[in-house]
Amino acid sequence: MSTIYDCTDQDERRRGLEAAQSAVKGGRLVVIPTDTVYGIGCDAFDNDAVAALLRAKHRGPDMPVPVLVGSWDTVDGLVQTVTPRMRELVQAFWPGGLSFVVTQAPSLPWDLGDTNGSVMLRMPLQPVAIELLRATGPMAVSSANISGQPPATSAIAAKQMLGSEVSVYLDDGEATIGEPSTIIDLTSPTPHLLREGAISAERISEVIGTSPATLRQR
């Protein structure tokens, strides 16, 4: 049975976070608020839970699941190398609406889909999400919707699509940004945008000294 917790109420927020933490540790799925859109998530290192997440979204491993973290330092154990460019972007835009695709640390015991040795990482600017992530550790989190449908910007919209596939829904009101994160690929020497969303190419170029046109080149 699924339960929605109103995180705008302090007592219910506490109960909801406890229930969500228990669900994640128990290999179940949760829906959480982020600054961009609502996300469906699970323990990033629980491969059965990640497979259940993909089934809930009606999509396959060809669309791997991103990972959300609750602190800057967490990424050090997840990536092969934290480059100066990545560090600059983390300091400029995390927590916030920028996701990085980077080469993952070797031999991590997770199966996020067909990643070809990479991982997409983000730290959301959302206090409920951050509190949960700091309690659970890295979570595999994708937009809370059936594949092909618009991402949910509220817990109610997420529940209408995902229903009982999810154990716990944390409702903290409408997502503040309401559009997906920007994704930048840092797996090669020349960074490029895979998706322009919450953070513009212009803002990124100001930080790393690459023109917006170069970032947008494929």
Side-chain angles (χ1 to χ4, degrees):
M1 179 178 177
S2 303
T3 304
I4 295 182
Y5 293 88
D6 179 5
C7 293
T8 64
D9 177 271
Q10 287 303 309
D11 288 338
E12 196 160 340
R13 170 178 167 153
R14 175 182 52 78
R15 291 194 297 272
L17 283 166
E18 289 174 353
Q21 183 179 354
S22 176
V24 171
K25 294 300 184 185
R28 299 187 301 278
L29 304 179
V30 301
V31 159
I32 65 173
T34 80
D35 45 347
T36 54
V37 296
Y38 272 69
I40 176 175
C42 65
D43 182 347
F45 296 99
D46 187 330
N47 294 336
D48 290 337
V50 173
L53 187 159
L54 290 170
R55 287 195 300 271
K57 285 180 61 72
H58 299 180
R59 79 186 205 191
D62 57 311
M63 299 177 69
V65 185
V67 172
L68 295 189
V69 298
S71 70
W72 290 1
D73 295 338
T74 305
V75 302
D76 292 348
L78 303 179
V79 305
Q80 186 175 62
T81 304
V82 179
T83 64
R85 176 168 282 159
M86 181 182 175
R87 188 69 72 189
E88 286 177 341
L89 289 168
V90 164
Q91 292 171 352
F93 297 113
W94 278 17
L98 184 64
S99 297
F100 308 111
V101 176
V102 293
T103 303
Q104 71 175 41
S107 303
L108 283 175
W110 62 20
D111 182 2
L112 302 169
D114 300 335
T115 64
N116 295 315
S118 66
V119 62
M120 187 191 304
L121 299 172
R122 188 167 86 86
M123 180 181 176
L125 182 58
Q126 214 293 339
V128 172
I130 290 292
E131 188 169 346
L132 179 62
L133 288 161
R134 288 180 176 171
T136 62
M139 288 180 60
V141 180
S142 184
S143 56
N145 61 303
I146 300 296
S147 188
Q149 297 190 23
T153 58
S154 70
I156 296 299
K159 194 171 192 300
Q160 288 171 343
M161 285 185 275
L162 299 168
S164 60
E165 299 279 359
V166 172
S167 295
V168 174
Y169 290 81
L170 298 181
D171 183 358
D172 200 33
E174 196 78 8
T176 54
I177 295 176
E179 65 176 315
S181 66
T182 292
I183 304 172
I184 185 168
D185 187 342
L186 299 178
T187 58
S188 63
T190 301
H192 67 275
L193 291 182
L194 300 176
R195 179 178 73 197
E196 192 165 0
I199 305 294
S200 70
E202 286 74 17
R203 290 180 63 193
I204 295 170
S205 68
E206 290 174 2
V207 173
I208 62 175
T210 300
S211 73
T214 300
L215 285 173
R216 293 187 178 109
Q217 286 177 353
R218 298 298 176 91

